[in-house]
Amino acid sequence: MFKNKIYIIFILVFALVFPIGYFTGLIPINTLTLWGRYFCLAIAALGVDLIWGYTGILSMTQALFFCMGAYGMGMYMTLSNLPEGQLLPSFMVWNQVEELPFFWVPFDNFSYALVLSVLVPGVFAGIMGYFIFRKRIKGVYFAIITQAIALAMFLLFSRNETMLGGTNGLTDFKYFLGFDLRDNSVKFGLYAWSLIALGLVYWYCHNLVNSKFGKSLVAIRDSESRMRFTKYKVTHYNVAIFVIGAMVAAVGGMLYMPQTGIITPGRMDVQASIEMIIWVALGGRGKLKGAVIGALVLNLMYSVFTTVLPSSWLYILGGLFVITVLYLPKGIVGMVDQMKEKLNGMFVKTA
């Protein structure tokens, strides 16, 4: 897999050049923190590509699973950052809650929080996927149902009665595992862990899509009726990849939380999931490296344009999506591959 030059460039830039630039004072720590967040979002994009790119399931809930992972880690950080002698988070005190809700109790332990932050989104996706896929709902109808579920969960998390911070979400964190989040070395550590996690998740997804299971997913995408005719349990495959995609997104959300210091229901709305789909479409659907490239490029563009032209980003994003659909159906990666083929053809003719 590492024979491709793009992997070498990626490793040289983000694993060597950026850290060297930071330690020599050429790259500020805020730049590394920003890219660390991009890596977390790229992890979520890999989940989208598994579900949509390789299986053909257009899901509008990936941002929800990303936020569920972030909320899980945020609950642990909220409890671990309580002032000495305080037993409840401030928003619970304001709501006159007298005892820590039962579903908060396991998140007081980091190990439990780590497992539950991935397990809960996976279980939720499994239950949701089972009832939808067993009815053979797909295409635009599946997208509408998942969109409705994302909206319902957004409204649920926004309510104060849910005891998850309401519209303000979870924030005001100073420490993570005893380390000061304001310390530059801690910020660099989070950047490094995000990069490592992206590499490991990519490696896992690469092995998955190249396995027999992954080949079956592509076959389901290309001809589901034929797979059913050959006695494949398509529903089981769909539910499995839906769960895997949700858990991948949750991993990204867990890493995203300490670097941003805040998570709100606004990150799980339908627009956020649509943006993730656009990342994959622009980068190259059905190409894992396309999902990563699309997420990194578009989030970098978001940071630039929201600074220079704050009110124009949605128009730019919409325009990019239209251009992708009309002229770049295979995304950036597909365009590069076509250029390589043309160049190779030219060299063959001249030879």
Side-chain angles (χ1 to χ4, degrees), residues 60-91:
M60 297 288 186
T61 53
Q62 195 70 355
L64 168 63
F65 301 136
F66 179 85
C67 284
M68 291 177 76
Y71 263 95
M73 190 53 60
M75 291 165 72
Y76 163 75
M77 293 175 67
T78 298
L79 295 176
S80 63
N81 279 265
L82 290 177
E84 188 175 352
Q86 185 174 329
L87 301 178
L88 298 174
S90 298
F91 65 86

Side-chain angles (χ1 to χ4, degrees), residues 48-307:
V48 175
D49 204 25
L50 289 178
I51 298 171
W52 182 45
Y54 286 91
T55 319
I57 301 169
L58 184 60
S59 171
M60 297 288 186
T61 53
Q62 195 70 355
L64 168 63
F65 301 136
F66 179 85
C67 284
M68 291 177 76
Y71 263 95
M73 190 53 60
M75 291 165 72
Y76 163 75
M77 293 175 67
T78 298
L79 295 176
S80 63
N81 279 265
L82 290 177
E84 188 175 352
Q86 185 174 329
L87 301 178
L88 298 174
S90 298
F91 65 86
M92 291 187 187
V93 176
W94 298 335
N95 288 317
Q96 299 181 346
V97 176
E98 298 180 354
E99 187 178 356
L100 191 69
F102 72 94
F103 62 89
W104 273 78
V105 175
F107 290 92
D108 194 26
N109 181 282
F110 177 71
S111 299
Y112 292 158
L114 199 64
V115 173
L116 290 174
S117 296
V118 177
L119 188 61
V120 171
V123 171
F124 182 81
I127 295 173
M128 182 178 75
Y130 174 75
F131 285 105
I132 296 176
F133 290 123
R134 70 192 295 262
K135 295 294 184 180
R136 299 191 182 182
I137 298 173
K138 56 184 179 180
V140 65
Y141 299 105
F142 183 88
I144 292 172
I145 290 175
T146 54
Q147 185 177 11
I149 292 172
L151 179 59
M153 295 300 292
F154 164 75
L155 296 174
L156 179 64
F157 274 67
S158 298
R159 295 179 62 87
N160 289 327
E161 295 86 345
T162 313
M163 294 302 158
L164 290 170
T167 55
N168 295 324
L170 304 176
T171 186
D172 194 27
F173 309 118
K174 296 180 177 63
Y175 300 95
F176 179 62
L177 294 174
F179 296 100
D180 192 340
L181 290 172
R182 295 162 294 186
D183 190 283
N184 286 348
S185 61
V186 175
K187 294 179 180 179
F188 177 78
L190 290 171
Y191 163 85
W193 276 112
S194 298
L195 178 59
I196 292 170
L198 176 58
L200 291 174
V201 172
Y202 186 96
W203 173 78
Y204 169 77
C205 293
H206 175 82
N207 289 335
L208 181 70
V209 298
N210 286 284
S211 66
K212 183 179 178 181
F213 176 79
K215 302 296 183 183
S216 300
L217 295 178
V218 174
I220 291 171
R221 180 195 66 189
D222 294 340
S223 181
E224 181 176 328
S225 58
R226 184 175 297 177
M227 290 294 286
R228 290 187 184 277
F229 181 77
T230 53
K231 302 300 180 181
Y232 273 82
K233 297 184 181 298
V234 173
T235 299
H236 294 174
Y237 279 91
N238 287 340
V239 173
I241 197 60
F242 196 60
V243 170
I244 292 171
M247 296 174 76
V248 166
V251 170
M254 289 166 51
L255 289 163
Y256 186 80
M257 185 65 203
Q259 297 181 79
T260 56
I262 183 173
I263 187 67
T264 68
R267 287 291 316 178
M268 68 174 65
D269 62 6
V270 177
Q271 178 184 326
S273 289
I274 293 175
E275 287 182 0
M276 290 183 177
I277 291 170
I278 294 176
W279 300 345
V280 175
L282 182 64
R285 176 188 171 195
K287 299 283 187 179
L288 294 175
K289 58 186 176 184
V292 174
I293 292 171
L296 297 180
V297 169
L298 278 176
N299 278 286
L300 178 60
M301 291 179 63
Y302 172 81
S303 298
V304 172
F305 282 102
T306 51
T307 301

Side-chain angles (χ1 to χ4, degrees), residues 3-17:
K3 292 181 180 179
N4 198 314
K5 292 180 180 179
I6 192 169
Y7 301 109
I8 299 174
I9 295 172
F10 191 89
I11 293 170
L12 287 175
V13 172
F14 295 113
L16 293 177
V17 177

